[in-house]
Amino acid sequence: MKSITITAKVKLYPTSEQMIILNKTLSVIRDVLNFVSAFVFGQEGIRYLELDHALYYPVRQQFGLRSQMTQSVFKTVLAKYKSMKSNGHPFSKVSFRNFEYDLVWNRDYSISDQSVSLNTLSGRLHILFEPKGMEHWLHAGGRFGTARLIRKKRKYYLPIPVNLEVESMHILNHIVGIDLGVNHLAVSFDDEGNTRFFSGRAVKEKRAKSLALRKRLQACGTKSAKLKLKKLREKETRYVTAVNHAVTKALISQYGAGTLFIIEDLTGIRTATEQVRLKSRYVMVSWAFYQFREMLEYKAALSQSEVLAADPKYTSQSCPVCGNTTKANRNRKRHEFCCTVCGYRSNDDRTGAINIYRKGFNTLFAEAC
């Protein structure tokens, strides 16, 4: 057994009266977050207990927050500064602009088959939600974590993290190597010699149009242009997520249970690709490869399969036939691999998938010995 976390996005349907209460609660929470953030910024390195002693009663008296809501705000602010520090960003004041509210399971919120119970400034609200897609998680025996109430365009969402215990892979039926890239988002090579290409041409064209539009809006600099830029970023984020969902779902559906997926460990890919030409940097750096890996990992776990990350070093330069490794083997412009020693020729991404497959296979063999 192993533990995985799935985020279930719940859409809420509050009544008009409930919307008024939710809006007021979210507005006050945002004001408190910024108030506490300003205090933390002036007290660099402050800990939770120190913050609690300093601001607990002032926050409750000034803003009318309930006890549990006040504690949640403190934890949210401190977590934001901790995340900023761990990511290597310089210490600076954190501003909260969005209407968001962190809720602790069984304290700030609970959920039943009919409604979600939320803690607000006016007490508990029981709000109807969209049950489609949630039935499984409600009865799967998982543990719900801290959720975040979000308001977007007068719509309300509650993404809930669900921790599940799933069966580990017992029988190995397939080994699949997966090469990730730009021209092909993913290329898979399996133990039967089959190759599957997931073309990235349509994605590149769409993102090129988005990039051109973004440049025009940035050059404009007006308030309406900035609003359009924000909508464009949100739209592209949804598009990238949808594409990664579709590709990972197709891979899991094709091979089923008992499959070991070998993918490239692309940790630090942003640092490595900062050296590419400026006009290519957007395409090379900004694709969500880590999101792809996360999606593949949790979907594989749900289907009793596993994902193994392999070192991507030389996978695009090594010949899978004779082992000759040199940059000259790969023609990037033609997307072709041609070995300078034995003459082996194939698509460069397919060659990468073969080498990744073999790295995973050799790792398993070494562990078995």
Side-chain angles (χ1 to χ4, degrees), residues 182 200-212 239 283:
V182 177
R201 177 177 296 180
V203 173
K204 287 178 65 177
E205 292 176 353
K206 188 177 183 67
R207 300 187 79 208
K209 291 180 180 178
S210 296
L211 179 59
Y239 175 70
V283 174

Side-chain angles (χ1 to χ4, degrees), residues 155-358:
K155 295 180 180 179
Y156 301 84
Y157 301 93
L158 189 68
I160 302 175
V162 185
N163 299 311
L164 298 171
E165 296 293 328
V166 296
E167 292 286 342
S168 300
M169 182 177 66
H170 299 298
I171 301 175
L172 180 61
N173 297 320
H174 300 286
I175 300 177
V176 182
I178 302 174
D179 179 79
L180 303 177
V182 177
N183 296 301
H184 293 98
L185 297 178
V187 177
S188 64
F189 179 84
D190 61 29
D191 40 16
E192 296 180 355
N194 300 318
T195 305
R196 183 172 181 180
F197 293 86
F198 295 89
S199 176
R201 177 177 296 180
V203 173
K204 287 178 65 177
E205 292 176 353
K206 188 177 183 67
R207 300 187 79 208
K209 291 180 180 178
S210 296
L211 179 59
L213 178 58
R214 181 181 291 110
K215 289 181 177 179
R216 292 198 298 270
L217 291 172
Q218 288 172 339
C220 185
T222 62
K223 185 176 180 180
S224 61
K226 292 178 181 179
L227 289 174
K228 289 182 179 179
L229 273 171
K230 182 180 179 181
K231 291 181 180 179
L232 182 63
R233 285 194 297 269
E234 292 174 348
K235 183 178 180 180
E236 187 168 7
T237 298
R238 292 194 299 270
Y239 175 70
V240 170
T241 301
V243 170
N244 280 337
H245 264 304
V247 176
T248 52
K249 182 178 180 180
L251 287 167
I252 297 296
S253 299
Q254 179 177 355
Y255 292 103
T259 301
L260 179 63
F261 295 96
I262 317 295
I263 64 172
E264 300 168 280
D265 185 359
L266 296 179
T267 304
I269 186 65
R270 288 183 179 272
T271 303
T273 52
E274 288 293 341
Q275 301 176 7
V276 302
R277 289 181 299 175
L278 183 61
K279 71 175 186 178
S280 303
R281 192 169 295 170
Y282 170 75
V283 174
M284 295 297 294
V285 174
S286 60
W287 188 259
F289 292 116
Y290 185 71
Q291 183 193 63
F292 180 97
R293 174 176 170 177
E294 284 187 319
M295 289 182 177
L296 186 65
E297 285 177 339
Y298 87 74
K299 291 176 183 177
L302 289 175
S303 66
Q304 295 185 17
S305 297
E306 292 186 5
V307 175
L308 175 66
D311 185 359
K313 196 172 183 179
Y314 305 125
T315 54
S316 62
Q317 302 175 14
S318 300
C319 177
V321 175
C322 68
N324 170 45
T325 302
T326 175
K327 290 183 179 180
N329 285 342
R330 186 184 186 188
N331 188 324
R332 289 180 176 272
K333 292 184 178 180
R334 299 175 61 180
H335 308 300
E336 185 180 60
F337 182 95
C338 183
C339 181
T340 57
V341 174
C342 70
Y344 170 81
R345 188 183 299 270
S346 184
N347 175 273
D348 58 350
D349 292 329
R350 179 178 182 272
T351 303
I354 295 174
N355 287 327
I356 292 168
Y357 164 84
R358 291 188 174 179

